[in-house]
Amino acid sequence: MDVEAFASSPVGQLVPIGGHDVRYGESYQHVAFLPDPLPTRLDLAQQTVLAVTAATAAVARLDQAAVGLPNPMLLARPAIRREAVSTSAIEGTYTTLDEVLEADLVEAREVSPAVAEVVNYVRAAELAYEWIKERPITVGMLRHLQKILVAGTPGDTSNAGDIRAIQVFIGLSSGRVADARFVPPPPGDQLRAGIEAWQDWINTTGDFPLIVKMALGHYQFETLHPFNDGNGRLGRLICVLQLAARGELRVPVLNLSPWLETRRREYQDHLLQLSMTGDFDPWIQFFAEAVRAQAIDAADRIESLLSWRESAIGRLRQASVRGVAVRIVEDLIGYPMITPTSAARMYGLSYPAVNAAIRRLAELDILHELTGRRYARVFVAREVLRIISLR
């Protein structure tokens, strides 16, 4: 950590820390960065205001595109799983969207540890979106979500779900403590006061445009780093939760992490530079561009999915196919992978009925059977999967 640069920061202060580094069997004395409370007023550059305005407009268009469907939550299901894959990849856990979708169709013991960890995010996100329909974002909520995130992973310790009680270091895979890229605040009263102040700040309204509020809140959360594990994934989830909580995005179809994943170093550098310089404009511009680009991308995906569904239903009409086959096709934009068993359960019909319908859809080249699997037959709508998987 560039101690000299952080020492002159206008948005935080260095505080002394000490401890024992078990890797080297030696004690250390160093410093950590404690951010000041977030501002209630900022004079932003014109370029920043324009970027925020463009992002806000893109989110509004995305919201309209999503809520126009009879069942808009169909779109949320693959979007949450796509976000799960990318947000986990930023933190070094790699899976594919196919694997995460398949995990819904098999026993938990049949998925790899990496997939299980990504599925934890899906569970946490789905719970969070339900939570904020009636309640604000709180530290208590985040503690519960963090425990879900780390379940069954190395982070699943006795302290899971608690504000951390240990010192953590960012970018310290090897070397001594002084080599860490960033050192978040030490555990204790200052960290607890910081996260409580963050909670109060993000739940106030009217002080900043929401995109600015999201950018600043994300910076502060990541800088405080309140948990032993899962801070990055939680922080990015909170951004979309803020949109949903304010009613700006009624269906959670915005994926910020794919954009940030391809710019991972730049993303990390912006957060670090803000702590050192106190200049909020570059970070807000970067964040606003992420929101704008991904909102446009999500709207384009929705258009492509709806176009595919209309075409597929047209093929059913031409082939005089009716009944549950039509219902399956209507739902494939949300459930691009299915099994006869999962379809029977979903539609409350007998296995033979849905099996016959799936077989007919396969004959029409709408569904394709996956081969070489360890479990029963899985069918996929390849074009739907292609649309939602595009980078």
Side-chain angles (χ1 to χ4, degrees), residues 264-277:
R264 180 179 176 181
R265 188 58 186 237
E266 188 179 1
Y267 169 40
Q268 295 168 338
D269 285 348
H270 271 293
L271 293 171
L272 196 67
Q273 287 295 318
L274 173 48
S275 290
M276 291 190 288
T277 67

Side-chain angles (χ1 to χ4, degrees), residues 29-319:
Q29 297 293 324
H30 196 45
V31 290
F33 183 75
L34 177 67
D36 292 338
L38 286 167
T40 56
R41 183 179 179 277
L42 279 178
D43 293 321
L44 298 175
Q46 183 179 11
Q47 186 177 354
T48 305
V49 173
L50 292 174
V52 169
T53 301
T56 302
V59 170
R61 289 194 296 271
L62 174 58
D63 181 63
Q64 289 301 313
V67 299
L69 293 177
N71 183 6
M73 289 307 293
L74 271 178
L75 298 170
R77 187 175 181 276
I80 290 171
R81 284 153 179 79
R82 184 169 181 260
E83 178 69 12
V85 170
S86 285
T87 197
S88 300
I90 293 174
E91 307 303 326
T93 299
Y94 301 100
T95 61
T96 66
L97 182 58
D98 300 38
E99 290 173 322
V100 176
L101 288 167
E102 288 174 31
D104 289 333
L105 304 173
V106 300
E107 297 292 333
R109 64 178 182 274
E110 296 186 71
V111 303
S112 69
V115 172
E117 185 172 343
V118 175
V119 170
N120 283 351
Y121 176 90
V122 173
R123 291 176 54 224
E126 291 177 339
L127 176 62
Y129 290 124
E130 288 300 313
W131 172 288
I132 60 166
K133 289 178 181 179
E134 299 179 352
R135 292 168 285 186
I137 298 169
T138 66
V139 175
M141 176 193 80
L142 297 179
R143 290 177 59 188
H144 185 62
L145 297 180
Q146 193 269 348
K147 193 167 186 175
I148 295 173
L149 273 182
V150 302
T153 75
D156 191 5
T157 67
S158 60
N159 295 318
D162 293 334
I163 301 300
R164 61 179 168 84
I166 61 171
Q167 182 64 56
V168 293
F169 304 91
I170 308 302
L172 185 64
S173 57
S174 61
R176 285 173 163 78
V177 166
D179 298 323
R181 191 163 188 262
F182 179 70
V183 183
D189 293 342
Q190 291 175 314
L191 175 59
R192 292 182 182 277
I195 196 64
E196 292 292 340
W198 169 88
Q199 172 189 274
D200 294 341
W201 187 90
I202 64 164
N203 284 309
T204 59
T205 58
D207 46 359
F208 293 111
L210 185 52
I211 301 299
V212 175
K213 194 92 172 174
M214 292 160 59
L216 298 187
H218 185 63
Y219 159 76
Q220 191 80 346
F221 186 85
E222 299 307 320
T223 304
L224 289 168
H225 222 72
F227 298 103
N228 291 352
D229 192 13
N231 295 281
R233 287 169 290 170
L234 279 177
R236 290 182 288 274
L237 173 59
I238 291 164
C239 293
V240 184
L241 289 177
Q242 288 176 266
L243 286 171
R246 287 270 291 270
E248 300 294 330
L249 187 65
R250 288 165 285 180
V251 184
V253 290
L254 180 66
N255 296 138
L256 292 179
S257 292
W259 196 89
L260 296 173
E261 182 190 352
T262 61
R263 298 160 179 83
R264 180 179 176 181
R265 188 58 186 237
E266 188 179 1
Y267 169 40
Q268 295 168 338
D269 285 348
H270 271 293
L271 293 171
L272 196 67
Q273 287 295 318
L274 173 48
S275 290
M276 291 190 288
T277 67
D279 186 354
F280 287 94
D281 282 288
W283 162 245
I284 295 173
Q285 289 174 26
F286 177 83
F287 183 87
E289 176 57 20
V291 174
R292 186 199 68 84
Q294 291 306 102
I296 291 172
D297 175 79
D300 289 344
R301 288 176 196 272
I302 290 172
E303 182 179 349
S304 296
L305 287 170
L306 296 182
S307 177
W308 175 87
R309 186 168 72 172
E310 182 179 351
S311 173
I313 290 175
R315 288 157 65 187
L316 296 186
R317 292 195 190 100
Q318 290 179 346

